Amino acid sequence: MSHFNDSLTAARETFDALGPLEAPLLRAAEAAFGALTTGRKLLFCGNGGSASDAAHIAAEFVCRFKEDRRPYPALALGVDGGLLTAIGNDYEFNDSFARQVHAFGQDGDVLIVISSSGQSRNVLAAIEEARRRGVTTVALLGRDGGFTKGAADIELIVPGASTARIQEAQKFLLHVFCELLEARLPKE
């Protein structure tokens, strides 16, 4: 078997395991709908590739996903290099997202964290700060959820051993999340 076919088989197996995540994905979309239709916002964060996914999905709300519509407030907390390095230098890297949640998070907002391992201390700290501020938390985690499992209000854990396949499945879930919301959010 070729590497391509091996990867395709692994991707199918990962996606086939996503069925049980429909209910928590619908709950996450409902929480986000409630936030966005009451003047609140979405906050996204993750490290590395997950930071890129967070920025991508935040952009889908401020710009658009598929349909032309009004913009909705969404912030990716990993995009400001100056702010991240200042927090890392003056405090510590584990505070990089929690400090921003403290600054920007309000009661009724939704924080969506992405971690392919569930082993990111700064992501866990962001969830903990969000809870203190009345922000609903959604965690997209991978593998077995790591030490972040159980910390968020809503969690979607993509099982598997391959970081690449987990990230692909998380991106799929985030796109479905966008589709669910865009179908219901007011256009104007």
Side-chain angles (χ1 to χ4, degrees):
M1 204 171 211
S2 72
H3 178 77
F4 176 82
N5 285 324
D6 289 345
S7 296
L8 192 56
T9 297
R12 282 188 189 113
E13 289 170 358
T14 302
F15 274 70
D16 285 344
L18 298 181
L21 301 183
E22 181 181 15
L25 182 63
L26 291 171
R27 286 197 320 274
E30 192 61 36
F33 179 81
L36 294 175
T37 56
T38 58
R40 295 301 185 205
K41 66 190 159 302
L42 306 180
L43 305 171
F44 293 88
C45 68
N47 294 298
S50 298
S52 297
D53 290 341
H56 167 180
I57 299 305
E60 301 290 15
F61 286 95
V62 177
C63 184
R64 70 176 185 161
F65 185 62
K66 290 181 179 179
E67 300 175 24
D68 192 22
R69 53 149 171 85
R70 64 165 275 210
Y72 285 93
L75 297 171
L77 304 180
V79 298
D80 187 335
L83 180 55
L84 290 174
T85 56
I87 293 169
N89 184 64
D90 293 356
Y91 297 94
E92 61 178 75
F93 184 71
N94 288 341
D95 295 329
S96 58
F97 300 133
R99 196 141 177 93
Q100 293 181 74
V101 169
H102 186 102
F104 303 122
Q106 299 174 303
D107 185 40
D109 289 345
V110 176
L111 170 69
I112 299 157
V113 304
I114 309 165
S115 174
S116 58
S117 67
Q119 300 286 93
S120 302
R121 297 223 179 270
N122 61 346
V123 165
L124 179 58
I127 292 171
E128 292 166 348
E129 181 61 32
R131 291 189 146 217
R132 285 190 285 276
R133 306 199 67 69
V135 173
T136 300
T137 56
V138 177
L140 273 79
L141 307 172
R143 303 190 187 280
D144 64 358
F147 56 68
T148 307
K149 182 179 180 177
D153 298 310
I154 302 166
E155 61 185 18
L156 297 94
I157 300 175
V158 177
S162 167
T163 299
R165 303 296 81 88
I166 290 167
Q167 289 173 329
E168 291 157 2
Q170 288 176 328
K171 182 74 74 98
F172 168 79
L173 291 168
L174 288 165
H175 281 159
V176 173
F177 176 78
C178 289
E179 290 170 342
L180 290 167
L181 284 161
E182 197 165 74
R184 292 182 60 203
L185 287 169
K187 306 297 180 232
E188 294 296 325

